[in-house]
Amino acid sequence: MPTEPLPELAPDFVPFATAALDFHQAINMPVAPIAAGRAELDSLHAHVVALYGLLDAHTARTTSVARAEGDHLRACRIRLWQAAEHLHAAFHAAPHPGTGRLPTREACRARRPEGAPELTVCQRHLATATRVRRDHTPADLRDPYTGLTRH
């Protein structure tokens, strides 16, 4: 049975995003060991969340027609969310710009938002977390990666 041809796709911008990341690393990463600043962590968080959204769209489209491939994309999407969780935590553990002061233990335990502009990373994270909780179980999100698949 013949299948319909795929629609004509727009230019693929993902290679440009990858090249931009490589270029950013080449010109902005210091040679000396230094901790990433809050602005860098916020940008990385935004990038990982955007990549999560792209994989979410691919997973939704793929799973209904190619289950094994969809399962792999779903696992990738979960790992990206785990990376976003760690980036969000790293942002709040990083020293404050200007003052260089570290958050207090009490502030870390209370997990209080710090206000603008720091609040933007929390807003982005919470908005994505809503989608994540709808699509995944807590066991999925806490499951360590073993590399094993069911296919």
Side-chain angles (χ1 to χ4, degrees):
M1 179 154 109
T3 61
E4 289 188 33
L6 291 173
E8 188 68 31
L9 298 175
D12 189 6
F13 295 106
V14 175
F16 293 111
T18 303
L21 286 174
D22 291 342
F23 186 66
H24 170 81
Q25 181 178 352
I27 65 171
N28 289 329
M29 294 298 295
V31 176
I34 187 168
R38 285 179 154 228
E40 181 80 359
L41 293 170
D42 184 25
S43 294
L44 286 170
H45 184 268
H47 188 76
V48 168
V49 167
L51 191 53
Y52 177 91
L54 178 62
L55 276 170
D56 187 38
H58 279 296
T59 302
R61 289 181 35 205
T62 302
T63 303
S64 62
V65 294
R67 182 160 174 97
E69 185 180 342
D71 281 347
H72 287 289
L73 290 173
R74 184 175 183 276
C76 182
R77 189 176 60 173
I78 290 170
R79 302 303 168 250
L80 276 175
W81 175 248
Q82 291 170 338
E85 289 269 49
H86 286 290
L87 284 167
H88 184 245
F91 175 87
H92 286 294
H96 291 271
T99 66
R101 71 176 173 79
L102 291 170
T104 65
R105 286 183 140 177
E106 293 77 27
C108 286
R109 272 192 230 118
R111 299 178 60 118
R112 283 178 283 209
E114 303 174 44
E118 287 84 4
L119 188 57
T120 57
V121 69
C122 294
Q123 289 171 332
R124 177 185 328 111
H125 197 73
L126 288 173
T128 307
T130 303
R131 286 183 8 213
V132 170
R133 283 192 303 270
R134 183 184 64 228
D135 295 339
H136 304 289
T137 66
D140 289 340
L141 300 176
R142 305 232 187 290
D143 188 32
Y145 177 70
T146 62
L148 302 175
T149 60
R150 58 184 169 181
H151 302 285

